[in-house]
Amino acid sequence: MLDPSFFSYVTVMSITPGPNNLMLATSGVNFGMRRTVPMMLGITLGCALQIAIAALLLDSLLLWMGVIRLPLTLLGCAYLLWLSWKIFRAGAPELREKARPLSLVGGALFQVVNPKAWLMAINVALIYSASSGLVPVMSGFAALNLPCILVWAMMGDRLGKHLQVAWKLKAFNSVMALSLVATVGWMVVEIINS
């Protein structure tokens, strides 16, 4: 049986702003809901797999965390900066058909460099998987995460209908890119302070 705090923790971590939700909102604006669904499913799949990896390899992971934390954070920061540049340079509304959102696999693999997703996966594995079992935790996570991230993809899709003018889309993409850059700055400050 899953602890009630599990539902609260996963919901809060899934629905609050972070790299996944910023990417989903941006994809919803630029590509619409239908084309964003594979990325959304990939994010949920990738996070659920992270929980499994963290739970199954927790002892080793805890030993490695000191060694891999800085390189993983720097790799994640570099990737987020690259994504922010791509978002900033995203084309006008009429050019969207040539561009593509992340695929299911791309959404899942993005979790490898997403520090918020790793934090969530490790916490869920540490706190809940031993007492509740891995399969219920992964299933419960997916059932809670998917509707939360759906909110961001739908918000982006709805907002996209109002951003059909090139300068408005450029302004939105610039704000989203700067949000990712700010996330990178926050992560770098956190890693330096620790």
Side-chain angles (χ1 to χ4, degrees):
M1 181 100 172
L2 292 171
D3 186 289
S5 65
F6 169 83
F7 298 100
S8 174
Y9 179 76
V10 171
T11 300
V12 168
M13 289 298 286
S14 295
I15 204 159
T16 54
N20 284 335
N21 291 335
L22 292 174
M23 294 293 296
L24 285 167
T26 302
S27 183
V29 164
N30 288 291
F31 304 110
M33 186 64 204
R34 186 180 55 76
R35 291 181 66 195
T36 300
V37 168
M39 176 175 42
M40 191 176 65
L41 295 174
I43 287 170
T44 296
L45 176 64
C47 287
L49 290 174
Q50 280 178 299
I51 292 168
I53 291 166
L56 296 172
L57 302 175
L58 195 53
D59 290 334
S60 298
L61 188 61
L62 289 175
L63 291 173
W64 292 340
M65 280 311 290
V67 176
I68 68 169
R69 185 170 184 219
L70 180 61
L72 186 62
T73 301
L74 293 176
L75 180 63
C77 287
Y79 186 67
L80 289 175
L81 287 173
W82 179 78
L83 283 175
S84 67
W85 179 248
K86 296 283 281 178
I87 290 169
F88 178 75
R89 298 207 22 134
E94 63 274 3
L95 300 177
R96 279 192 241 158
E97 291 306 313
K98 295 178 183 174
R100 299 173 124 180
L102 287 176
S103 65
L104 184 135
V105 173
L109 290 176
F110 178 64
Q111 303 323 297
V112 172
V113 296
N114 183 347
K116 183 181 175 191
W118 276 112
L119 173 70
M120 180 172 49
I122 291 168
N123 284 338
V124 167
L126 276 171
I127 298 167
Y128 303 107
S129 67
S131 61
S132 300
L134 185 56
V135 172
V137 167
M138 289 175 64
S139 301
F141 171 82
L144 291 168
N145 175 261
L146 201 52
C148 290
I149 65 175
L150 176 65
V151 168
W152 285 84
M154 287 175 59
M155 181 177 61
D157 179 58
R158 298 293 181 256
L159 190 56
K161 292 175 181 25
H162 301 286
L163 298 176
Q164 294 300 310
V165 179
W167 73 266
K168 289 180 181 180
L169 182 62
K170 182 64 175 174
F172 173 82
N173 285 338
S174 296
V175 168
M176 297 308 278
L178 288 173
S179 297
L180 277 178
V181 170
T183 300
V184 169
W186 169 73
M187 291 183 335
V188 169
V189 167
E190 287 294 315
I191 196 95
I192 289 170
N193 289 336
S194 65

